[in-house]
Amino acid sequence: MTTASAQRELLASDAALSRFLRGLPGVDQVGAEARAAALATRSIKRDAKLWALDRAIRMTDLTTLEGADTPGKVRALCAKAVRPDPTDDTVPPAAAVCVYPDMVAVAVEHTRGTPVQVASVATAFPSGRASLDVKLADTKDAVAAGADEIDMVIDRGAFLAGRYSAVADEIVATKQACGDAHLKVILETGELATLDNVRRASWLAILAGADFIKTSTGKIAPASTRPVVLVMLEAVRDAEEIIERKVGVKAAGGIRDAKDAIRYLVLVHEIAGPAWLTPELFRFGASSLLNDLLMQRDKQRTGAYAGPDYYTID
């Protein structure tokens, strides 16, 4: 099967979808871990490092997903996304700010006229434990408030029980509820247990219409790991022939310093290819990462660290 019609055929039959997912080649976990570790040793020279740091800033989604979030905190996050370093207008803006649905309107107001997208978690984030009607209402509320992107969570219980069509149906329905907004599907890989399951969940989300597949909510450990992202990158690379479009990957949770971010960019380049080295196809979900990216950028340009106190605290 190598056409878009094959995608529709797989989703139309629970048995066909199950056969396809269970028929995917098994992941060599030792091999995946070894390759991810080997790619992490690649040396990046100064000019390439400056490019990588700026690219990582442009790929970062700044996130606040706490019960104590306030409009003031969201406004501050938006200001940082738009101008990560107010003293240096050569620093590019971040990719997006990600908030709960009730804070979308605030974020939209304070990013209007800028390249920064507004993303919102939905579908009973982070557990996903709600009826489909509730999940779709959550999604529609965020889109109506102006969200450019929706981050949904899959029903991990249904997936682990082998109810693949139930998971796919929810993704399809949520994608329809998104309208023009892009859909990022969170796999919560820390709960999937094996790289084989990560591969199956990646393909399932891709076939059901995801614009992005995302590692985790950031609420479960382990969150993003390079072997997991390697498997997800292989999936989007290989799936392009079937779905006839590129799907993005978002690595979220546990990425805190520039060195680690650059390792992920090397992984993207080597596994999916340079076409994925754009905010439209790869993202970091890691607000704490931005300060280290800015610090390392200053170090590369001036030869000295400004120190962590120079940057705003998220």
Side-chain angles (χ1 to χ4, degrees), residues 1-20 165 168 207-208 242-243:
M1 290 186 177
T2 58
T3 67
S5 62
Q7 178 184 359
R8 293 190 292 271
E9 289 176 17
L10 287 172
L11 292 174
S13 165
D14 184 50
L17 181 60
S18 182
R19 280 196 304 272
F20 176 83
S165 281
L207 292 170
I242 290 179
I243 66 169

Side-chain angles (χ1 to χ4, degrees), residues 63-78 97-111 117-121 138 141-148:
T63 303
T64 183
L65 297 170
E66 303 297 337
D69 284 345
T70 64
K73 185 176 181 181
V74 172
R75 285 194 296 269
L77 194 72
C78 292
V97 292
C98 185
V99 295
Y100 277 116
D102 64 318
M103 291 292 174
V104 167
V106 177
V108 168
E109 178 183 357
H110 291 277
T111 56
Q117 301 289 288
V118 174
S120 180
V121 295
D138 204 22
D141 283 348
V143 172
D148 302 296

Side-chain angles (χ1 to χ4, degrees), residues 192-215:
L192 298 186
T194 69
L195 292 180
D196 284 339
N197 277 339
V198 171
R199 175 169 284 173
R200 292 185 188 115
S202 297
W203 273 92
L204 176 58
I206 292 165
L207 292 170
D211 296 298
F212 262 77
I213 52 174
K214 177 177 171 182
T215 57

